[in-house]
């Protein structure tokens, strides 16, 4: 699997303001842990899972990402692509960027 484009991910996180998300910082306790899953909304072909995972890891290396499918997989609505666990602030702050990469790349692949 090719290495994720870390510089591109860093720039996207910076542009999104992920490190300074005022809502998350003011409403989510610093030590709060959370778990979540990434699910599909539409049928299609998945691409960009490594970039999505790297987005979470780059923001916070305490986030664990368990990928359940591989790029190129054909998926249906509601399929679970990954499980996430780690600091709630980090999950919320990286979510939009990770899903933007995943959605855009999967749209192209589909």
């Amino acid at each position: 699997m090719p290495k994720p484009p870390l510089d591109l991910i860093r720039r996207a996180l910076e542009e999104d303001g992920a490190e300074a998300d005022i809502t998350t910082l003011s409403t989510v306790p610093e030590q709060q842990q959370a778990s979540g899953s990434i699910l599909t909304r539409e049928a299609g072909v998945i691409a960009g899972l490594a970039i999505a995972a790297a987005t979470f890891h780059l923001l916070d290396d305490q986030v664990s990402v368990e990928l359940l499918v591989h790029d190129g997989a054909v998926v249906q609505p509601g399929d679970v692509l990954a499980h996430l666990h780690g600091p709630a602030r980090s999950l919320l702050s990286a979510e939009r960027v990770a899903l933007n990469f995943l959605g855009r790349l999967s749209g192209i692949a589909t």
Side-chain angles (χ1 to χ4, degrees):
M1 178 179 304
K3 292 177 93 173
L6 298 181
D7 189 51
L8 176 66
I9 297 168
R10 276 188 199 93
R11 288 194 320 256
L13 286 167
E14 184 178 320
E15 179 182 314
D16 191 62
E19 298 267 353
D21 179 1
I22 299 299
T23 303
T24 298
L25 293 174
S26 63
T27 61
V28 178
E30 186 175 353
Q31 299 305 316
Q32 177 89 29
Q33 295 289 304
S35 296
S37 299
I38 299 175
L39 290 86
T40 60
R41 293 190 307 181
E42 298 181 15
V45 177
I46 293 302
L49 283 168
I51 294 173
T55 301
F56 287 103
H57 291 143
L58 195 57
L59 185 68
D60 186 340
D61 61 6
Q62 293 181 47
V63 173
S64 66
V65 179
E66 177 189 7
L67 299 178
L68 302 177
V69 300
H70 297 286
D71 282 353
V74 176
V75 295
Q76 300 302 316
D79 285 353
V80 180
L81 305 179
H83 293 301
L84 310 164
H85 181 79
R89 286 182 173 184
S90 299
L91 293 178
L92 292 169
S93 295
E95 170 188 34
R96 182 174 35 242
V97 173
L99 294 179
N100 283 345
F101 279 124
L102 189 59
R104 176 75 171 153
L105 294 170
S106 295
I108 292 167
T110 298

